[in-house]
Amino acid sequence: MLEGLRRRFGLAQFDEKADPAKLARIGDEVRARLATNPRAEDRGGAKADLFLVPDMLSPDQCKRLIKAIDSRITRSTLFSDRVAPAGRTSSTHYFRKDLPETRAATAAIDATLGIERRHGETLQGQRYLVGQEYRHHCDFFRQDRPYWPGERPRGGQRTWTAMIYLNEVEEGGQTEFPTLGLVVTPRPGLMVAWNNMDRKGRPNRATRHAALPVLAGSKYVVTQWYRQEDWQVSRG
């Protein structure tokens, strides 16, 4: 049976923390929920599940989140060994879960996608200054990469990504999905949400995307990633 699953899904080995059946079910449930949301716009077409949802956060919420990001920030890191360190030049803030602005933002995202908070990673904020970018990459995990044994017990495979822009960028800073022919311009409160898996629960390379360089001004976003299983902060 396991060998059949390996052949069917093209995996080096079947792993219950990256279970195509579970991942497909999660994708179906969230897609169905967003498809009935009158504010959600389907922009993924047949290639990916991707939706735009405006006004997820109020202008005041966006300002308070930007202030929190600026209060404590470190250089963004990479999982992938295929993207050079110079490929991600933003800075990152890890929000404390007990802050009112964190609770409000995560509650809004969870409710819109219909995913329980226990699956959500720590909410992150990213800041991009002039010239900073994040080159093309995918958010799902590769089971054949050195980082997988560390990420596996932390909740396993990533399912959905939800990113909310917090400000307008003077020039540049769009999010590009080249396979989908989509370029999203930052607008305060606009959420871009996509399933990192395809309809069969396998990693979907059509979700490859980039944060294009900021040419003038700055760019702030918050990003929420979800896992197949419960998110665990500590490794092991």
Side-chain angles (χ1 to χ4, degrees), residues 20-42:
K22 285 187 177 181
L23 293 165
R25 184 171 64 251
I26 294 168
D28 290 344
E29 291 171 352
V30 178
R31 180 177 66 254
R33 186 180 184 90
L34 289 171
T36 60
N37 184 333
R39 297 193 302 124
E41 179 185 0
D42 183 352

Side-chain angles (χ1 to χ4, degrees), residues 77-88 134-147 205 208-209:
T77 58
L78 292 169
F79 281 109
S80 174
D81 57 2
R82 294 296 184 94
V83 179
R88 188 182 190 190
Y134 191 176
R135 294 177 189 168
H136 292 96
H137 63 283
C138 294
D139 286 358
F140 56 74
F141 294 132
R142 289 280 302 271
Q143 292 172 241
D144 59 347
R145 295 290 185 233
Y147 59 69
R205 289 199 58 80
R208 183 170 173 265
H209 59 285

Side-chain angles (χ1 to χ4, degrees), residues 17 21 32 37 45 57 76 112 158 162 187 193 198-199 201 219-220:
K17 295 298 183 72
N37 184 333
L57 300 174
S76 299
T112 301
R158 278 179 170 162
R187 298 199 310 270
D198 64 18
R199 297 288 175 89
K219 171 185 170 183
Y220 290 83

Side-chain angles (χ1 to χ4, degrees), residues 90-112:
S90 61
S91 297
T92 293
H93 173 85
Y94 296 88
F95 287 94
R96 285 171 40 196
K97 65 180 181 180
D98 59 337
L99 294 178
E101 53 264 41
T102 304
R103 292 198 300 268
T106 55
I109 299 169
D110 294 348
T112 301

Side-chain angles (χ1 to χ4, degrees), residues 10-232:
L11 302 175
Q13 62 180 35
F14 176 75
D15 192 323
E16 63 180 3
K17 295 298 183 72
D19 184 338
K22 285 187 177 181
L23 293 165
R25 184 171 64 251
I26 294 168
D28 290 344
E29 291 171 352
V30 178
R31 180 177 66 254
R33 186 180 184 90
L34 289 171
T36 60
N37 184 333
R39 297 193 302 124
E41 179 185 0
D42 183 352
R43 297 297 302 273
K47 295 180 179 179
D49 297 327
L50 184 148
F51 295 82
L52 303 184
V53 185
D55 303 321
M56 280 291 297
L57 300 174
S58 71
D60 183 60
Q61 285 178 300
C62 291
K63 289 177 183 178
R64 284 189 277 120
L65 289 167
I66 288 173
K67 184 176 180 180
I69 291 170
D70 281 335
S71 71
R72 187 178 69 255
I73 199 159
T74 59
R75 183 177 178 180
S76 299
T77 58
L78 292 169
F79 281 109
S80 174
D81 57 2
R82 294 296 184 94
V83 179
R88 188 182 190 190
T89 52
S90 61
S91 297
T92 293
H93 173 85
Y94 296 88
F95 287 94
R96 285 171 40 196
K97 65 180 181 180
D98 59 337
L99 294 178
E101 53 264 41
T102 304
R103 292 198 300 268
T106 55
I109 299 169
D110 294 348
T112 301
L113 272 61
I115 302 178
E116 295 183 26
R117 175 92 310 255
R118 62 191 178 90
H119 294 290
E121 295 184 20
T122 301
L123 184 70
Q124 293 186 26
Q126 283 83 34
R127 181 184 71 189
Y128 296 81
L129 303 178
V130 171
Q132 294 184 336
E133 64 179 327
Y134 191 176
R135 294 177 189 168
H136 292 96
H137 63 283
C138 294
D139 286 358
F140 56 74
F141 294 132
R142 289 280 302 271
Q143 292 172 241
D144 59 347
R145 295 290 185 233
Y147 59 69
W148 176 246
E151 292 306 315
R152 184 184 183 278
R154 303 183 80 192
Q157 183 61 277
R158 278 179 170 162
T159 58
W160 285 74
T161 297
M163 183 178 67
I164 303 177
Y165 303 106
L166 302 180
N167 71 312
E168 290 187 8
V169 182
E170 289 182 37
E171 187 177 358
Q174 301 94 335
T175 305
E176 180 188 46
F177 294 84
T179 304
L180 304 180
L182 176 65
V183 177
V184 183
T185 299
R187 298 199 310 270
L190 173 65
M191 180 174 78
V192 187
W194 66 91
N195 184 4
N196 293 293
M197 302 292 111
D198 64 18
R199 297 288 175 89
K200 294 183 179 180
R202 302 172 302 192
N204 187 356
R205 289 199 58 80
T207 62
R208 183 170 173 265
H209 59 285
L212 299 182
V214 171
L215 302 179
S218 59
K219 171 185 170 183
Y220 290 83
V221 301
V222 291
T223 307
Q224 177 66 74
W225 289 284
Y226 293 93
R227 300 291 185 106
Q228 174 186 299
E229 307 297 335
D230 292 1
W231 163 246
Q232 303 291 332

